Amino acid sequence: VAVQGTDISRSDDAALTKYRRETVGFVFQFFNLIPTLTAAENIEFALALTRHGNRRPRALELLGLVGLAERADHFPAQLSGGQQQRVAIARALANEPPILLCDEPTGNLDSDTGHQVLGVLRDLNQQQRMTVLLVTHNAAIAPMADRVVRLRNGGIERIDTVDAPRDAAELVW
């Protein structure tokens, strides 16, 4: 597997850890927020791993980016599923990754909340020029992508390029 000219499949554990820490952000289906930390503290924890200074201001900036600045001091249990997923996205952005990997980020959300989360991801792609790789079983999400890779039985079945990607708000589930 080569990414940006680097064959990461030949990397040792230390090199892969460094690569993941510096290059990739992860958004999971199950938010994986630490329940005893507030939204801001969950992001600050990720920032501590990147050795980023000024953690609180950066955490608040990231929460603002996903529309949750006013929820900074709320614990995960005090947030809706969509809000928790947006905190998870903000946390994934802590290392300022050029690549964001999303595993079923709308899988546990209702359609309206899923649209909000997809809108955040689309904005990151368009405004921040971030590569967003999103894995989903929901074919209705495909029209918002620039490129759709369909997998079957562990292999690539087909790759489609979308001429005019649609905004998340236009998707019909």
Side-chain angles (χ1 to χ4, degrees):
V1 175
V3 180
Q4 296 175 326
T6 301
D7 185 352
I8 62 170
S9 60
R10 299 185 189 278
S11 299
D12 62 18
D13 285 342
L16 281 174
T17 297
K18 182 179 186 299
Y19 171 79
R20 285 189 296 263
R21 183 176 54 242
E22 295 175 359
T23 309
V24 182
F26 296 94
V27 178
F28 304 98
Q29 179 177 3
F30 301 104
F31 324 118
N32 296 331
L33 299 175
I34 300 170
T36 57
L37 299 180
T38 65
E41 290 168 343
N42 266 278
I43 298 165
E44 289 175 54
F45 181 78
L47 287 165
L49 299 175
T50 67
R51 297 179 181 88
H52 192 286
N54 299 321
R55 292 182 197 132
R56 183 67 177 199
R58 178 67 176 149
L60 295 176
E61 177 186 343
L62 290 169
L63 283 170
L65 185 68
V66 298
L68 290 175
E70 75 286 352
R71 305 295 295 222
D73 294 321
H74 289 79
F75 291 94
Q78 297 171 309
L79 302 172
S80 70
Q83 290 170 332
Q84 288 183 60
Q85 189 63 296
R86 287 187 283 156
V87 171
I89 291 169
R91 181 189 56 201
L93 300 175
N95 63 341
E96 301 179 30
I99 301 170
L100 189 63
L101 301 179
C102 304
D103 179 20
E104 294 278 2
T106 61
N108 288 321
L109 306 174
D110 62 71
S111 61
D112 289 340
T113 305
H115 281 116
Q116 290 176 349
V117 168
L118 291 172
V120 169
L121 295 173
R122 187 70 182 161
D123 288 347
L124 289 169
N125 172 254
Q126 292 179 338
Q127 296 169 10
Q128 308 283 327
R129 304 305 308 153
M130 183 179 298
T131 297
V132 177
L133 181 66
L134 187 146
V135 176
T136 185
H137 289 92
N138 185 348
I141 292 172
M144 76 170 266
D146 297 320
R147 184 178 315 154
V148 177
V149 179
R150 298 182 192 277
L151 303 175
R152 182 180 300 266
N153 298 325
I156 295 176
E157 180 180 66
R158 128 177 149 236
I159 300 174
D160 297 322
T161 302
V162 179
D163 292 331
R166 296 195 321 209
D167 188 86
E170 298 176 83
L171 300 178
V172 178
W173 291 7

